[in-house]
Amino acid sequence: CVSVEVSYKKQTVLVLLLFFVILVVVEAIATLFVMNITVCKFKDSELFENTDPKLLEKICDDYLSLHRTYNEYYQLTPNQYFDTISINEFGFRGLDFSYEKPQNTFRIFMVGGSTVFGVGSSSDETTIPGYLQKNLNDFSLSSSIQIINAGYPSANSLSESKLVKDVLLQFDPDVIIVYDGWNEITEPVEMLQHSNRNIVSTFLKDMRVFLPFYNTPVLISELGAKFLAQFSGAPSLDEELDQQKIVWWKNNWNEICELSHEQGFDIIISIQPIIGTGNKPLTVNEKQILDSNPSYVIHSKLISDYVSAMYDLKKCNHTFDLTTIFDNVSEQIYFDQGHMSDNGNLIVAKKFAELLYPILKNEF
């Protein structure tokens, strides 16, 4: 009996040891995965061949060090400060600001995904909202203009509209700018449905919040997302499914536009450019990016459907197609399908300053 009991104990120890080894191996793989995820592949782009490699490493390290808050509208954990990224006390990228809007201040929020947040940007100031702040400061208006970067990587119209309703309206915005489209066409359909809630995804999100140093949940989440993308239409070749996604997108923003009329703020809805949209003369490197994945051509065609749908937003007074904004830009702008150089951000910011001017002129 004693020998059998000892044998059971040994087996239990061996099983636990094997389980521990598996966890360690999976975590090691996950760590390597996180270190090489798409967000840091800009380091190898020819677009940054004249940029200090140490700065590129710092941009990547700072982004990967961010702690995130996972909820229906996605936000970053407040009060995170790195060399190239600052997350203020309210969880937005950029400098701190007061909860109460100061007198003679015109407050503008910019909402979108990683392109608004500024993945690959060299600083808070070289994101689209950062450049927009500088451009509007140059207008020398009678009131102070305050641009707040409310972008979040992977955000879509569902999470963005929830962010507006649940968070941004508390800050008394004068204008909310929406810059999206890319995530809408690339997200699995489950991520765009209001019923997108399940125990596994909730558990993984909680793990990523409470154990930010633990990379295995990141690996599981990313592999799960890729699995969903493969089997649920991202990119979708199902015209009926594509149209359903567009209907959801229109419903999300029509609701917010109606709310803007009720609560007295302006909203600008814009469709962003990605590689392959418009008639931009592609550089050799950009052409290689476009040809590297057959989905990219499909995406560039699908996004034109959102441009058409944008004009059906009957309750939205300000809608703009920005997919052709780089038609006369011959230099390289993209370092992947949709993320841009600092100069790309600057070009987009200048366009938004131009679009905002009539609104500001009426206000001041």
Side-chain angles (χ1 to χ4, degrees), residues 45-80:
S45 172
E46 292 180 8
L47 185 59
F48 299 102
E49 60 185 1
N50 296 320
T51 304
D52 184 353
K54 291 183 179 179
L55 174 59
L56 294 177
E57 287 290 344
K58 191 60 186 166
I59 295 170
C60 177
D61 291 344
D62 289 351
Y63 181 80
L64 293 179
S65 297
L66 289 172
H67 294 177
R68 305 169 185 235
T69 299
Y70 291 89
N71 47 40
E72 290 186 324
Y73 41 77
Y74 302 158
Q75 273 190 291
L76 291 151
T77 303
N79 299 315
Q80 301 183 71

Side-chain angles (χ1 to χ4, degrees), residues 139-358:
F139 281 176
S140 300
L141 298 167
S142 57
S143 291
S144 174
I145 306 294
Q146 186 179 65
I147 307 294
I148 300 169
N149 185 343
Y152 183 96
S154 299
N156 55 57
S157 65
L158 175 58
S159 61
E160 290 161 358
S161 59
K162 285 180 177 293
L163 175 69
V164 172
K165 290 182 289 187
D166 295 349
V167 179
L168 302 191
L169 293 185
Q170 301 176 29
F171 293 93
D172 190 19
D174 294 291
V175 176
I176 294 175
I177 300 173
V178 177
Y179 179 81
D180 66 5
W182 183 22
N183 288 341
E184 211 74 22
I185 59 174
T186 57
E187 285 279 22
V189 69
E190 284 81 358
M191 299 297 291
L192 304 173
Q193 289 178 298
H194 290 267
S195 59
N196 175 38
R197 294 290 174 268
N198 63 69
I199 296 174
V200 174
S201 63
T202 301
F203 173 74
L204 290 172
K205 288 179 179 181
D206 289 342
M207 287 282 285
R208 292 169 75 171
V209 171
F210 294 111
L211 298 173
F213 52 85
Y214 188 44
N215 292 314
T216 297
V218 179
L219 176 62
I220 295 172
S221 297
E222 294 297 327
L223 292 178
K226 290 182 182 298
F227 177 83
L228 286 174
Q230 183 176 356
F231 293 100
S232 62
S236 170
L237 298 177
D238 184 330
E239 184 175 348
E240 183 177 347
L241 183 60
D242 291 332
Q243 291 304 311
Q244 181 60 62
K245 291 168 72 172
I246 290 174
V247 169
W248 291 334
W249 180 82
K250 289 197 295 186
N251 288 343
N252 288 332
W253 290 126
N254 263 327
E255 182 182 357
I256 298 302
C257 289
E258 185 173 9
L259 194 61
S260 73
H261 297 304
E262 294 173 0
Q263 302 207 14
F265 63 91
D266 281 304
I267 183 162
I268 292 175
I269 308 290
S270 66
I271 304 296
Q272 69 188 107
I274 60 173
I275 199 164
T277 59
N279 295 305
K280 182 189 185 306
L282 300 180
T283 65
V284 172
N285 192 239
E286 287 175 326
K287 186 69 166 60
Q288 289 174 344
I289 295 170
L290 182 62
D291 293 340
S292 68
N293 190 328
S295 298
Y296 292 173
V297 175
I298 297 173
H299 291 164
S300 64
K301 293 177 180 177
L302 285 176
I303 208 165
S304 63
D305 293 337
Y306 283 83
V307 173
S308 299
M310 179 185 67
Y311 296 113
D312 292 333
L313 296 174
K314 303 302 182 183
K315 299 177 182 178
C316 304
N317 295 332
H318 308 289
T319 55
F320 300 99
D321 171 17
L322 300 185
T323 61
T324 61
I325 194 171
F326 300 126
D327 279 7
N328 297 315
V329 180
S330 58
E331 69 180 83
Q332 183 172 346
I333 292 295
Y334 300 102
F335 61 80
D336 62 15
Q337 188 186 4
H339 296 111
M340 303 176 295
S341 64
D342 286 352
N343 193 45
N345 293 339
L346 175 60
I347 293 170
V348 174
K350 286 182 176 178
K351 184 62 177 179
F352 275 122
E354 176 187 322
L355 296 177
L356 278 166
Y357 185 72

